[in-house]
Amino acid sequence: MVNRIVVGAHYGLKDWIAQRATAVIMAVYSVILLAAVGAIGPNTYEAWRGLFANGFMKFITFLFFISLFYHAWIGVRDIWMDYVKPTGIRLVLHVLTIFALLGYAGWATQILWRL
């Protein structure tokens, strides 16, 4: 019998797929936004506000931000896990990252639904 020491979180394939999926969502949103900006050509605040007055545009923008923050969480978490060895410091960095990303998500939501 071989005793094997298992280390690490072993997120692997699940996180690799999640990062690719969030990247695809962000890329598709970027194309949609560029097409909308190209078609409408908003050059005033009222025009931009009109672009985002559409419920669909707000929803896909919100989906973009959620994808962005999840994508960032996976990347930053992996950086902390790979390069910060003291467990206490890594835990503090994880918590600070989560708080920052949740704060950004709340802020993005507030901005979107204020338009």
Side-chain angles (χ1 to χ4, degrees), residues 34-56:
L34 287 173
V37 168
I40 298 171
N43 58 357
T44 64
Y45 174 75
E46 289 75 26
W48 279 101
R49 189 171 182 180
L51 176 63
F52 288 96
N54 180 347
F56 174 73

Side-chain angles (χ1 to χ4, degrees), residues 13-104:
L13 182 62
K14 181 188 83 151
D15 284 342
W16 184 86
I17 291 171
Q19 273 212 310
R20 275 38 181 198
T22 55
V24 167
I25 290 169
M26 291 185 292
V28 168
Y29 173 79
S30 297
V31 169
I32 292 170
L33 182 64
L34 287 173
V37 168
I40 298 171
N43 58 357
T44 64
Y45 174 75
E46 289 75 26
W48 279 101
R49 189 171 182 180
L51 176 63
F52 288 96
N54 180 347
F56 174 73
M57 197 64 183
K58 276 187 184 181
F59 175 74
I60 64 170
T61 302
F62 180 71
L63 183 62
F64 168 84
F65 280 116
I66 295 302
S67 297
L68 175 68
F69 299 139
Y70 189 59
H71 189 92
W73 163 245
I74 293 170
V76 173
R77 183 205 61 209
D78 287 350
I79 290 169
W80 297 149
M81 287 176 21
D82 288 345
Y83 297 109
V84 180
K85 297 305 177 193
T87 307
I89 294 172
R90 189 176 343 140
L91 177 62
V92 168
L93 290 172
H94 281 175
V95 170
L96 291 174
T97 303
I98 289 169
F99 284 159
L101 291 172
L102 287 175
Y104 298 150

